[in-house]
Amino acid sequence: MKPLVLQLNPILVPAINQQLASLYEVHRYYELKNPQAWLDENAQAVQAVITGGHTGISRALLERLPALRVVAVNGVGTDAVDLAYCRERGLAVTATLGALTEDVADMAIGMLISICRQFGGGDRFVRDGLWERFPQPSAIPLGRRFSGMRVGIVGMGRVGRAVAQRAAAFGCPLAYTDLRPMDDVPHRFVADLVALARESDALVLSAAADSAQGIVNAQVLDALGPEGFLVNVARGRLVDEAALTEAIVAGRIAGAGLDVFVDEPHVPLALRGSERVLLQAHRASATWETRAAMGQMVLDSVAQALSGQRPVMSLTT
Ligand code: 8YV
């Protein structure tokens, strides 16, 4: 009999799904009509869980799965999994470390350039026929130069470093904040986030959200100021979303590029209605290349755990 695997959110690469199906009896929790009834019948037999970084798994569900040997997160964020509990239980929680770094950094820089140069507004101006109605160049406001902008990076992990590498290529002076300065990072460390915001033209959020919550608050946004831009490719909850919405609507910051939100897929209406923001549906890692690499890591982690090995990508065992 094939081992039973419970999948909590979809994998979008068919070849990965085919391999999963050939090796395991895969049940898609998100497609179950009656998840409780399914659990009553099958929970005891589940050996592996596959989930997304944002979805994670609740402690209550973990407690219902006594035979579980691995939670394979198809992502790098493990903030939605109770790692301390899993560690105590000797349960492997794996992540797709390193697989999505380049794509997420590309997205951060892409969004930053887009909000500085108003790609969204420019596209709509042409698409909606406004260029023909208002052909004079003054019909669209001038944008802001990204090259050379002072960029502050919040969270100097893999993604933060990849953002720094890209921003450096655009001639941007860089500074960063994190829990502590890092010996192997050549850029300036600024311990205080308000101070970093004050001396940055753009803040890029690439921090883990395991403990940090609402760190980008009204004070940080005001320090960033009416000429400043914010990009978030990490987690929505790093930002006080109500404060951000107010700052955007009042023009207390210049603009924001947001791939993540507090309560996905819900995005505050005021943000949806603002020309100052560029919105994405949590897609920073959504390329074929990255999702295939992530899927392969998930396959490897499940195989390693179920064959009794410590998964190479385990964060808890
Ligand atoms: C993914 C993420 O969209 O890595 C993460 O933590 O949030 C994202 O890159 C997600 O995990 C896809 O399942």
Side-chain angles (χ1 to χ4, degrees):
M1 227 170 70
K2 291 181 189 170
L4 205 155
V5 172
L6 186 58
Q7 198 179 328
L8 302 190
N9 72 0
I11 285 183
L12 303 178
V13 179
I16 301 294
N17 288 321
Q18 279 155 19
Q19 288 191 64
L20 280 171
S22 72
L23 296 165
Y24 310 111
E25 185 184 322
V26 181
H27 290 262
R28 295 178 170 162
Y29 195 66
Y30 51 93
E31 285 176 355
L32 294 174
K33 290 217 166 54
N34 189 341
Q36 284 314 315
W38 186 90
L39 283 173
D40 289 342
E41 206 169 308
N42 301 285
Q44 299 283 334
V46 173
Q47 293 193 42
V49 159
I50 297 173
T51 187
H54 182 71
T55 307
I57 180 169
S58 70
R59 169 87 177 253
L61 182 52
L62 282 172
E63 284 173 351
R64 289 200 66 177
L65 309 175
L68 191 61
R69 296 162 84 175
V70 62
V71 175
V73 176
N74 187 30
V76 283
T78 49
D79 48 301
V81 183
D82 186 338
L83 292 184
Y85 166 79
C86 294
R87 216 168 267 134
E88 212 170 278
R89 190 170 144 179
L91 179 60
V93 178
T94 65
T96 60
L97 306 174
L100 46 69
T101 310
E102 310 303 327
D103 277 353
V104 178
D106 288 354
M107 181 79 139
I109 295 294
M111 286 205 295
L112 191 42
I113 296 176
S114 176
I115 53 180
C116 289
R117 302 297 301 272
Q118 302 152 353
F119 287 165
D123 177 80
R124 283 189 292 279
F125 187 76
V126 178
R127 195 182 293 278
D128 296 347
L130 294 174
W131 197 13
E132 285 171 349
R133 283 174 57 200
F134 306 102
Q136 51 292 72
S138 58
I140 308 191
L142 294 175
R144 291 275 305 285
R145 176 187 293 165
F146 167 64
S147 289
M149 227 175 213
R150 296 169 304 164
V151 174
I153 297 176
V154 181
M156 210 33 136
R158 290 183 182 82
V159 171
R161 288 164 196 234
V163 171
Q165 193 188 31
R166 285 155 177 73
F170 283 88
C172 299
L174 290 160
Y176 74 100
T177 194
D178 207 309
L179 300 177
R180 63 194 69 83
M182 293 175 190
D183 295 341
D184 57 342
V185 172
H187 310 299
R188 203 160 48 82
F189 174 73
V190 181
D192 179 37
L193 180 50
V194 175
L196 181 67
R198 194 174 299 122
E199 59 182 70
S200 299
D201 300 307
L203 272 188
V204 177
L205 309 186
S206 48
D210 296 70
S211 52
Q213 199 163 330
I215 55 170
V216 177
N217 53 23
Q219 206 193 347
V220 172
L221 294 167
D222 284 336
L224 188 58
E227 304 285 304
F229 296 92
L230 178 75
V231 165
N232 191 358
V233 287
R235 282 290 183 268
R237 80 171 72 94
L238 290 173
V239 179
D240 176 339
E241 209 167 66
L244 172 63
T245 306
E246 278 174 33
I248 285 287
V249 170
R252 285 182 10 249
I253 67 167
L258 306 170
D259 185 45
V260 287
F261 304 88
V262 170
D263 181 25
E264 295 170 12
H266 307 292
V267 176
L269 279 179
L271 289 182
R272 285 163 53 180
S274 172
E275 281 288 323
R276 291 181 192 277
V277 293
L278 175 74
L279 303 168
Q280 290 289 303
H282 198 145
R283 284 175 50 78
S285 69
T287 67
W288 284 105
E289 292 82 355
T290 283
R291 289 296 171 85
M294 289 164 69
Q296 188 56 53
M297 286 181 179
V298 166
L299 275 165
D300 292 346
S301 293
V302 173
Q304 288 158 3
L306 298 196
S307 67
Q309 298 167 49
R310 177 192 169 272
V312 176
M313 299 275 172
S314 175
L315 300 166
T316 49
T317 55

